[in-house]
mmCIF file of all heavy atoms in Angstrom:
data_model
loop_
_atom_site.group_PDB
_atom_site.id
_atom_site.type_symbol
_atom_site.label_atom_id
_atom_site.label_comp_id
_atom_site.label_asym_id
_atom_site.label_seq_id
_atom_site.Cartn_x
_atom_site.Cartn_y
_atom_site.Cartn_z
ATOM 1 N N GLY A 48 -3.238 17.095 3.837
ATOM 2 C CA GLY A 48 -2.549 15.794 3.908
ATOM 3 C C GLY A 48 -2.976 14.977 5.114
ATOM 4 O O GLY A 48 -2.436 13.905 5.360
ATOM 5 N N PHE A 49 -3.956 15.492 5.880
ATOM 6 C CA PHE A 49 -4.498 14.781 7.060
ATOM 7 C C PHE A 49 -3.401 14.324 8.019
ATOM 8 O O PHE A 49 -3.488 13.244 8.615
ATOM 9 C CB PHE A 49 -5.340 13.559 6.627
ATOM 10 C CG PHE A 49 -6.369 13.874 5.582
ATOM 11 C CD1 PHE A 49 -6.316 13.296 4.328
ATOM 12 C CD2 PHE A 49 -7.388 14.780 5.845
ATOM 13 C CE1 PHE A 49 -7.256 13.600 3.348
ATOM 14 C CE2 PHE A 49 -8.332 15.092 4.875
ATOM 15 C CZ PHE A 49 -8.261 14.501 3.632
ATOM 16 N N ALA A 50 -2.358 15.135 8.177
ATOM 17 C CA ALA A 50 -1.226 14.724 9.011
ATOM 18 C C ALA A 50 -1.606 14.644 10.487
ATOM 19 O O ALA A 50 -0.948 13.943 11.262
ATOM 20 C CB ALA A 50 -0.050 15.676 8.808
ATOM 21 N N SER A 51 -2.648 15.379 10.898
ATOM 22 C CA SER A 51 -3.050 15.350 12.316
ATOM 23 C C SER A 51 -4.489 14.883 12.483
ATOM 24 O O SER A 51 -5.120 15.186 13.498
ATOM 25 C CB SER A 51 -2.928 16.748 12.924
ATOM 26 O OG SER A 51 -1.602 17.172 12.916
ATOM 27 N N THR A 52 -5.019 14.204 11.480
ATOM 28 C CA THR A 52 -6.436 13.842 11.533
ATOM 29 C C THR A 52 -6.627 12.331 11.525
ATOM 30 O O THR A 52 -6.097 11.646 10.656
ATOM 31 C CB THR A 52 -7.173 14.469 10.321
ATOM 32 O OG1 THR A 52 -7.076 15.881 10.431
ATOM 33 C CG2 THR A 52 -8.637 14.061 10.276
ATOM 34 N N ALA A 53 -7.390 11.841 12.512
ATOM 35 C CA ALA A 53 -7.801 10.437 12.491
ATOM 36 C C ALA A 53 -9.130 10.389 11.750
ATOM 37 O O ALA A 53 -10.097 11.025 12.175
ATOM 38 C CB ALA A 53 -7.965 9.926 13.917
ATOM 39 N N SER A 54 -9.187 9.655 10.644
ATOM 40 C CA SER A 54 -10.403 9.677 9.827
ATOM 41 C C SER A 54 -11.413 8.626 10.268
ATOM 42 O O SER A 54 -12.558 8.645 9.836
ATOM 43 C CB SER A 54 -10.058 9.460 8.357
ATOM 44 O OG SER A 54 -9.422 8.207 8.197
ATOM 45 N N CYS A 55 -10.999 7.704 11.109
ATOM 46 C CA CYS A 55 -11.916 6.635 11.522
ATOM 47 C C CYS A 55 -11.350 5.941 12.763
ATOM 48 O O CYS A 55 -10.199 6.146 13.130
ATOM 49 C CB CYS A 55 -12.054 5.599 10.400
ATOM 50 S SG CYS A 55 -10.486 4.846 9.943
ATOM 51 N N GLU A 56 -12.193 5.095 13.362
ATOM 52 C CA GLU A 56 -11.690 4.141 14.365
ATOM 53 C C GLU A 56 -11.254 2.912 13.593
ATOM 54 O O GLU A 56 -11.847 2.595 12.561
ATOM 55 C CB GLU A 56 -12.824 3.696 15.291
ATOM 56 C CG GLU A 56 -13.264 4.711 16.294
ATOM 57 C CD GLU A 56 -14.360 4.140 17.206
ATOM 58 O OE1 GLU A 56 -14.900 3.052 16.910
ATOM 59 O OE2 GLU A 56 -14.668 4.805 18.189
ATOM 60 N N SER A 57 -10.261 2.197 14.068
ATOM 61 C CA SER A 57 -9.884 0.966 13.374
ATOM 62 C C SER A 57 -9.308 -0.048 14.350
ATOM 63 O O SER A 57 -8.684 0.325 15.349
ATOM 64 C CB SER A 57 -8.859 1.263 12.273
ATOM 65 O OG SER A 57 -8.611 0.080 11.531
ATOM 66 N N THR A 58 -9.543 -1.299 14.074
ATOM 67 C CA THR A 58 -9.044 -2.385 14.940
ATOM 68 C C THR A 58 -7.985 -3.216 14.218
ATOM 69 O O THR A 58 -7.623 -4.297 14.673
ATOM 70 C CB THR A 58 -10.196 -3.352 15.312
ATOM 71 O OG1 THR A 58 -10.707 -3.931 14.095
ATOM 72 C CG2 THR A 58 -11.315 -2.657 16.049
ATOM 73 N N ILE A 59 -7.524 -2.743 13.056
ATOM 74 C CA ILE A 59 -6.746 -3.629 12.185
ATOM 75 C C ILE A 59 -5.234 -3.543 12.434
ATOM 76 O O ILE A 59 -4.596 -4.528 12.780
ATOM 77 C CB ILE A 59 -7.090 -3.341 10.703
ATOM 78 C CG1 ILE A 59 -8.610 -3.465 10.484
ATOM 79 C CG2 ILE A 59 -6.320 -4.287 9.773
ATOM 80 C CD1 ILE A 59 -9.123 -2.912 9.182
ATOM 81 N N THR A 60 -4.657 -2.375 12.219
ATOM 82 C CA THR A 60 -3.196 -2.245 12.231
ATOM 83 C C THR A 60 -2.782 -1.070 13.098
ATOM 84 O O THR A 60 -3.447 -0.037 13.107
ATOM 85 C CB THR A 60 -2.694 -2.068 10.781
ATOM 86 O OG1 THR A 60 -2.873 -3.317 10.103
ATOM 87 C CG2 THR A 60 -1.224 -1.710 10.710
ATOM 88 N N PHE A 61 -1.672 -1.232 13.812
ATOM 89 C CA PHE A 61 -1.161 -0.143 14.642
ATOM 90 C C PHE A 61 0.300 0.102 14.320
ATOM 91 O O PHE A 61 1.087 -0.839 14.197
ATOM 92 C CB PHE A 61 -1.327 -0.470 16.131
ATOM 93 C CG PHE A 61 -0.745 0.586 17.018
ATOM 94 C CD1 PHE A 61 -1.402 1.801 17.199
ATOM 95 C CD2 PHE A 61 0.491 0.397 17.639
ATOM 96 C CE1 PHE A 61 -0.849 2.803 17.991
ATOM 97 C CE2 PHE A 61 1.044 1.393 18.436
ATOM 98 C CZ PHE A 61 0.377 2.597 18.612
ATOM 99 N N ILE A 62 0.652 1.384 14.175
ATOM 100 C CA ILE A 62 2.048 1.759 13.943
ATOM 101 C C ILE A 62 2.469 2.715 15.053
ATOM 102 O O ILE A 62 1.738 3.676 15.340
ATOM 103 C CB ILE A 62 2.217 2.502 12.593
ATOM 104 C CG1 ILE A 62 1.668 1.683 11.426
ATOM 105 C CG2 ILE A 62 3.674 2.870 12.349
ATOM 106 C CD1 ILE A 62 1.629 2.438 10.105
ATOM 107 N N ASP A 63 3.619 2.468 15.661
ATOM 108 C CA ASP A 63 4.234 3.473 16.534
ATOM 109 C C ASP A 63 5.448 4.000 15.775
ATOM 110 O O ASP A 63 6.488 3.336 15.716
ATOM 111 C CB ASP A 63 4.626 2.850 17.877
ATOM 112 C CG ASP A 63 5.150 3.911 18.851
ATOM 113 O OD1 ASP A 63 5.758 4.893 18.380
ATOM 114 O OD2 ASP A 63 4.935 3.751 20.069
ATOM 115 N N GLY A 64 5.267 5.163 15.171
ATOM 116 C CA GLY A 64 6.293 5.710 14.282
ATOM 117 C C GLY A 64 7.570 6.092 15.008
ATOM 118 O O GLY A 64 8.664 6.034 14.448
#
Side-chain angles (χ1 to χ4, degrees):
F49 310 117
S51 297
T52 297
S54 60
C55 59
E56 286 182 349
S57 186
T58 61
I59 305 167
T60 290
F61 177 75
I62 305 172
D63 185 328

